[in-house]
């Protein structure tokens, strides 16, 4: 009986036999294809062979489960002070290149809570928790989960969450003194994040630029955004820089006109338009920089599906403007 009390449910990941060989073969074929495509005049600016080298590094890391365990441990360390976010625990020494054992987290996919019959107060809480998690990864830790899709975000504690999260108050009468003690209610909700094999970590200069870009977005400074994107560019074959600048300023202006204020901006759509302008004008930014942007877009869309009124820029505004003096 005492031994059973120490048993914990676990999840076991096993690398499929032969997958390493298959991945390496696929990478060889893709590298050959990228080399051929890079010979085409219209595709040279994409630097496809360099992109493939970066992709190869990511994929080779994926087929060694020890990498995912190490990343998961770093995420757990980063979020030690944030009770609303939880990662499984890799159970060493049961972690090898091909097998990884980690704690099993009983939970429900976040996509379940998009349904109409889910209380709005629960949706809003989940959306804000997800946004706080993302902003910490992006603007504080500079260590971003690379696969923030609904399948990798699970929810614990929803069955314990009620519309009335009342504080508990106790009153003690000591002679002629009345002591009132308020115990804030604890939110039972937790975000469980899985599959941490892919992460993005920017170089210090890129991290600095990312914060500067979003600060410029908050302030509606289209020209400043353009300057920062051009500074961030690893390849710039733009044929008309003035037209590119005008395009970015138009996107900012239209966003402001459509919402009445950039503080009500739909960030995912706005960033999608910026990325489209970069492609059209052949301005290629660092791939890790683009990956962070895509992660922000993905979670912004998910958060807005839960709470359409949630404003990413409004949440991050105090943090970025406080740091803007150093940008």
């Amino acid at each position: 009986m005492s031994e059973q009390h120490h048993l914990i449910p676990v999840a076991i990941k096993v690398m499929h036999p032969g997958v390493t060989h298959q991945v390496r073969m696929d990478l060889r074929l893709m590298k050959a294809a990228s080399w051929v495509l890079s010979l085409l005049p219209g595709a040279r600016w994409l630097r496809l062979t360099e992109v493939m080298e970066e992709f190869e590094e990511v994929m080779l890391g994926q087929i060694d489960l020890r990498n995912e365990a190490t990343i998961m441990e770093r995420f757990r360390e980063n979020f030690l002070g944030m009770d609303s976010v939880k990662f499984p625990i890799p159970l060493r020494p049961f972690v090898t290149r091909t097998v990884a054992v980690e704690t099993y987290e009983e939970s429900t996919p976040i996509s379940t809570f998009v349904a109409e019959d889910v209380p709005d107060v629960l949706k809003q809480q989940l959306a804000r928790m997800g946004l706080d998690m993302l902003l910490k990864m992006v603007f504080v830790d500079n260590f971003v989960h690379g696969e923030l899709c609904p399948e990798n975000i699970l929810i614990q504690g929803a069955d314990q969450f009620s519309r009335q999260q009342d504080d508990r108050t106790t009153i003690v009468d000591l002679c002629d003194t009345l002591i009132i003690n308020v115990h804030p209610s604890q939110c039972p909700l937790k975000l469980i994040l899985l599959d941490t094999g892919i992460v993005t970590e920017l170089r210090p200069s890129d991290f600095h630029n990312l914060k500067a870009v979003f600060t410029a977005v908050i302030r509606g400074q289209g020209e400043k955004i353009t300057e920062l994107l051009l500074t961030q560019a690893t390849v710039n074959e733009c044929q008309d820089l003035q037209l590119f600048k005008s395009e970015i300023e138009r996107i900012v202006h239209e966003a402001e006109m459509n919402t009445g204020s950039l503080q009500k901006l739909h960030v995912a759509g706005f960033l999608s338009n910026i990325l489209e302008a970069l492609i059209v004008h052949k301005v290629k930014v660092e791939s890790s920089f683009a990956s962070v942007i895509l992660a922000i877009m993905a979670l912004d869309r998910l958060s807005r599906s839960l709470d359409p009124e949630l404003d990413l820029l409004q949440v991050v505004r105090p943090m970025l403007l406080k740091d803007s003096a150093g940008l």
Side-chain angles (χ1 to χ4, degrees):
M1 181 66 70
S2 61
E3 290 184 359
Q4 291 181 356
H5 288 167
H6 289 86
L7 296 178
I8 59 173
V10 300
I12 303 175
K13 290 188 175 184
V14 180
M15 191 69 65
H16 192 281
V19 72
T20 300
H21 174 72
Q22 186 63 53
V23 167
R24 292 185 183 278
M25 287 294 295
D26 290 345
L27 288 172
R28 289 193 187 100
L29 292 173
M30 293 173 70
K31 289 171 74 174
S34 68
W35 181 81
V36 172
L37 290 173
S38 66
L39 298 177
L40 300 175
R44 288 175 182 169
W45 74 277
L46 291 173
R47 301 293 196 272
L48 292 177
T49 53
E50 296 176 14
V51 172
M52 268 308 305
E53 288 175 0
E54 295 173 359
F55 180 70
E56 180 180 33
E57 182 179 353
V58 171
M59 290 307 299
L60 292 179
Q62 282 281 84
I63 58 179
D64 186 342
L65 296 178
R66 294 173 299 183
N67 292 330
E68 181 173 345
T70 300
I71 292 170
M72 192 173 290
E73 288 168 338
R74 180 167 171 184
F75 271 126
R76 286 181 55 80
E77 183 178 346
N78 287 350
F79 282 88
L80 276 177
M82 198 168 180
D83 294 337
S84 60
V85 179
K86 187 177 179 183
F87 295 83
I89 304 172
L91 299 176
R92 299 184 186 275
F94 308 109
V95 176
T96 68
R97 181 184 294 274
T98 57
V99 178
V101 181
E102 60 190 41
T103 54
Y104 175 75
E105 303 295 340
E106 187 72 38
S107 45
T108 306
I110 194 170
S111 55
T112 304
F113 299 92
V114 180
E116 293 184 2
D117 59 343
V118 177
D120 287 343
V121 66
L122 175 55
K123 290 182 179 180
Q124 292 163 2
Q125 182 69 24
L126 292 175
R128 180 56 191 259
M129 288 167 58
L131 189 56
D132 288 343
M133 173 268 295
L134 173 71
L135 297 181
K136 175 171 167 54
M137 287 184 181
V138 173
F139 295 110
V140 178
D141 300 332
N142 184 24
F143 197 70
V144 184
H145 193 306
E147 296 183 276
L148 287 174
C149 55
E151 292 77 12
N152 288 336
I153 305 176
L154 308 178
I155 304 301
Q156 280 184 354
D159 55 339
Q160 304 169 26
F161 184 86
S162 66
R163 191 177 296 271
Q164 297 296 328
Q165 294 289 316
D166 295 329
D167 295 339
R168 291 182 290 109
T169 303
T170 57
I171 301 177
V172 180
D173 188 358
L174 296 178
C175 299
D176 59 347
T177 302
L178 194 65
I179 299 176
I180 301 177
N181 194 9
V182 179
H183 302 275
S185 61
Q186 298 296 316
C187 179
L189 295 173
K190 292 184 184 296
L191 300 178
I192 312 298
L193 301 186
L194 307 179
D195 292 342
T196 60
I198 299 177
V199 292
T200 301
E201 188 173 12
L202 300 178
R203 295 175 302 183
S205 59
D206 295 337
F207 183 51
H208 180 277
N209 257 13
L210 178 73
K211 292 194 289 186
V213 166
F214 273 86
T215 301
V217 170
I218 289 171
R219 290 173 170 166
Q221 299 171 328
E223 185 175 353
K224 181 67 173 178
I225 295 171
T226 307
E227 292 175 1
L228 290 166
L229 290 174
L230 290 173
T231 300
Q232 190 63 37
T234 56
V235 178
N236 180 4
E237 293 191 9
C238 181
Q239 301 300 310
D240 190 336
L241 285 177
Q242 189 55 50
L243 181 60
F244 174 63
K245 292 178 181 179
S246 299
E247 178 71 8
I248 298 297
E249 291 181 13
R250 180 190 64 78
I251 292 171
V252 174
H253 178 69
E254 287 185 358
E256 191 168 13
M257 291 294 291
N258 291 337
T259 61
S261 166
L262 282 178
Q263 304 317 310
K264 299 179 181 179
L265 179 67
H266 283 212
V267 172
F270 176 80
L271 293 176
S272 178
N273 290 336
I274 294 292
L275 291 178
E276 183 179 348
L278 289 169
I279 294 171
V280 169
H281 292 277
K282 298 184 178 180
V283 178
K284 184 177 182 294
V285 296
E286 184 74 34
S287 58
S288 58
F289 190 91
S291 295
V292 173
I293 297 297
L294 292 172
I296 293 172
M297 291 170 59
L299 205 69
D300 180 65
R301 288 194 176 101
L302 177 58
S303 296
R304 282 188 177 274
S305 69
L306 292 166
D307 181 7
E309 299 300 317
L310 186 62
D311 190 338
L312 184 151
L313 290 184
Q314 190 65 27
V315 175
V316 77
R317 178 184 176 88
M319 179 195 307
L320 290 182
L321 293 186
K322 181 179 179 181
D323 294 340
S324 63
L327 290 177

